[in-house]
Amino acid sequence: MRTNEGGPDVSRPALTPALTGTELTRWYWTLAELTALARQLGLSTAGGKAALTDRLAAVLDGRPEPRPVRTARRGGRQLAAPVHGDTVIPEGQRCSQVLREHFTREIGPAFHFDAFMRDYVAQGAGRTLAEAVSHWHATRQRAAEPQEVGAQFEFNRFLRDWHARHPDGARTEALAAWRDHRARPKDRRAAGHSTRRPS
């Protein structure tokens, strides 16, 4: 049984239908683990990790399964080549190969669809591709700064934070620290224990 520093013995439980929803949400689980449990319970595995966790927690606690949040599909016309700087972004435009080729021609081989450009295209109906190129250049300083990693990427966020605290640390040490971190319930990861360097 794993012992937490400064607290009673705590070990990660088995992920089974006997688990409560409250206990489920105390621990880190991979999407594969959550998907396997959902299938065992006959639940839908649709949606992201957060939606799947909410669905499982509700069912394990005997509550009704949450209704899925449906987002309207934004269809509509997609831009086709050739495009130019005066081309207007239509409603529902995706980050397509046509746009990638245009931006690479205008910006150079460093171009890629980062969060700033994906958001701009998604919300840029009525703006021109020349304005999108200007947006790329205007956001390069912010793009170079560390970006917040989404909750669904906890492993990536953990490694980034661990390496910031231990710049000379080896990957094997970081992975050992991650295994220790994920073996603890979320309410016992405070005070930097989760990012300590293995001795």
Side-chain angles (χ1 to χ4, degrees):
M1 182 169 285
R2 174 174 295 278
T3 302
N4 264 314
E5 297 172 7
D9 288 350
V10 177
S11 63
R12 189 170 181 254
L15 186 56
T16 69
L19 203 64
T20 66
T22 302
E23 191 66 7
L24 173 85
T25 59
R26 287 186 70 211
W27 300 88
Y28 173 87
W29 308 100
T30 65
L31 181 57
E33 290 172 316
L34 295 171
T35 299
L37 180 61
R39 287 186 176 135
Q40 188 178 353
L41 293 170
L43 300 175
S44 167
T45 59
K49 186 174 177 182
L52 186 53
T53 301
D54 289 346
R55 187 178 308 127
L56 285 166
V59 170
L60 291 172
D61 280 346
R63 293 181 281 118
E65 187 176 338
R67 301 181 96 182
V69 177
R70 300 205 184 274
T71 55
R73 290 190 68 129
R74 292 177 12 176
R77 179 177 68 86
Q78 297 293 301
L79 292 176
V83 295
H84 47 77
D86 292 334
T87 300
V88 174
I89 300 171
E91 182 70 32
Q93 176 65 43
R94 294 185 295 274
C95 295
S96 66
Q97 189 61 32
V98 169
L99 290 188
R100 182 184 303 281
E101 290 170 0
H102 172 76
F103 292 142
T104 300
R105 275 194 312 273
E106 296 296 314
I107 294 166
F111 173 76
H112 58 281
F113 281 113
D114 61 10
F116 295 102
M117 287 301 281
R118 287 192 301 272
D119 289 347
Y120 193 89
V121 170
Q123 300 167 16
R127 298 174 180 162
T128 67
L129 296 185
E131 290 174 302
V133 169
S134 295
H135 176 74
W136 165 269
H137 292 299
T139 56
R140 290 312 85 201
Q141 183 173 347
R142 281 188 295 152
E145 298 169 358
Q147 303 298 312
E148 181 62 32
V149 180
Q152 69 271 34
F153 304 113
E154 183 178 354
F155 174 70
N156 295 344
R157 183 174 59 239
F158 176 87
L159 289 184
R160 185 188 72 187
D161 292 347
W162 190 90
H163 281 294
R165 288 184 174 91
H166 311 288
D168 62 335
R171 180 167 174 77
T172 54
E173 292 177 307
L175 293 176
W178 164 250
R179 285 190 295 274
D180 180 65
H181 171 78
R182 70 165 281 191
R184 297 171 183 270
K186 293 176 183 176
D187 55 3
R188 300 213 180 233
R189 294 180 185 171
H193 295 304
S194 61
T195 55
R196 75 183 190 280
R197 190 167 178 174
S199 53

